[in-house]
Amino acid sequence: MLYIVQEICKKHDIKYFVDGGTMLGAVRHQGFIPWDNDIDIMMLREDYDKFLKVCKEEQYFNDPYFLQNEISDTCWFGHTKIRRSDT
């Protein structure tokens, strides 16, 4: 999923950075932490709004991937998630 986000951000000049376990994995493991089951991505508000807009307009996330946030789902946890419907 991070590779999909990376492609979208590169194509549309959207700045992002990794945080939490994803950042720790990049530094300590030179990749992903094997037991970390999520990806922590951060964006400034302007970039985040642009990201949501281009994802909606260009329908980047198709089955099995989908964006989950307060707009798409009433069971929302305070931040946008990119999820797989088959997991």
Side-chain angles (χ1 to χ4, degrees), residues 1 62-67 81-87:
M1 289 184 216
N62 297 309
D63 194 35
Y65 300 105
F66 66 98
L67 277 172
K81 295 181 178 187
I82 301 168
R83 304 189 68 187
R84 282 186 65 120
S85 60
D86 60 352
T87 62

Side-chain angles (χ1 to χ4, degrees), residues 2 4 10-12 17-18 20-21 24-25 30 34 38 42 47 49 51 53 57 59-61 63-64 70-71 78 83:
L2 182 57
I4 295 170
K10 186 175 181 178
K11 179 178 178 183
H12 296 280
F17 52 97
V18 295
L24 179 63
Q30 286 75 52
D38 69 354
M42 308 293 283
D47 292 303
D49 291 340
F51 179 81
K53 181 181 176 187
E57 289 173 354
Q59 299 179 348
Y60 278 109
F61 296 101
D63 194 35
E70 77 278 9
I71 297 166
R83 304 189 68 187

Side-chain angles (χ1 to χ4, degrees), residues 29-82:
H29 296 273
Q30 286 75 52
F32 299 108
I33 297 175
W35 56 88
D36 190 11
N37 65 356
D38 69 354
I39 301 168
D40 307 302
I41 302 169
M42 308 293 283
M43 295 177 185
L44 298 177
R45 172 55 66 177
E46 181 180 322
D47 292 303
Y48 172 71
D49 291 340
K50 184 176 179 181
F51 179 81
L52 291 181
K53 181 181 176 187
V54 299
C55 286
K56 182 178 180 181
E57 289 173 354
E58 300 192 23
Q59 299 179 348
Y60 278 109
F61 296 101
N62 297 309
D63 194 35
Y65 300 105
F66 66 98
L67 277 172
Q68 182 184 39
N69 58 23
E70 77 278 9
I71 297 166
S72 68
D73 198 331
T74 57
C75 182
W76 179 60
F77 301 101
H79 54 274
T80 298
K81 295 181 178 187
I82 301 168

